[in-house]
Amino acid sequence: MSMTIVVTRNVPARFRGFLASCMLELTPGVYTAPRMNKAVRERIWRVLREWWEQDPGRSIVMTWADRSQRSGQSIRILGAPPIELVEVQGIFLSKKPVSPELTYEDLL
């Protein structure tokens, strides 16, 4: 069993209600379960995938600790998250396009 995290964006209330019934909603759209086994995680993902296929204009990311991966975690994604996830030498990194107009002061 491992910590599982689900992050949703732009999902209907039924997604949120379903996830809140089996995980803790830390903040709107972010759900965690500290000790979720693989079978439960797979059932939750199956429901989310089926609902998402009926209404694909949403984004859902699920991650959990996975010792079999070089990065130590696995990630599943439905839809387009606002960032691109890339694997570099076994570590997942988030990649965002940088605007040429962006200045250092904008980051502060």
Side-chain angles (χ1 to χ4, degrees):
M1 288 194 267
S2 64
M3 169 69 87
T4 301
I5 301 168
V6 176
V7 179
T8 63
R9 187 173 57 91
N10 195 30
V11 296
R14 74 176 178 163
F15 284 80
R16 296 185 66 190
F18 170 69
L19 288 168
S21 73
C22 49
M23 301 175 82
L24 175 64
E25 186 172 16
L26 295 176
T27 190
V30 179
Y31 305 85
T32 65
R35 291 177 300 279
M36 183 177 288
N37 66 43
K38 181 179 179 179
V40 172
R41 186 173 54 246
E42 294 294 327
R43 284 194 297 271
I44 289 171
W45 187 253
R46 188 171 42 249
V47 169
L48 294 174
R49 188 182 64 238
E50 288 172 6
W51 289 355
W52 181 86
E53 287 171 353
Q54 296 169 10
D55 189 12
R58 318 296 179 204
S59 175
I60 303 169
V61 176
M62 177 186 275
T63 185
W64 65 95
D66 185 348
R67 293 183 191 147
S68 70
Q69 299 295 320
R70 287 180 33 193
S71 64
Q73 70 184 61
S74 286
I75 300 173
R76 287 184 174 168
I77 300 172
L78 292 171
I83 57 160
E84 180 183 354
L85 295 174
V86 294
E87 184 179 351
V88 178
Q89 297 179 354
I91 298 173
F92 289 105
L93 303 173
S94 61
K95 177 180 169 185
K96 288 177 146 181
V98 177
S99 167
E101 310 271 329
L102 190 64
T103 66
Y104 177 74
E105 288 77 26
D106 293 331
L107 298 174
L108 300 177

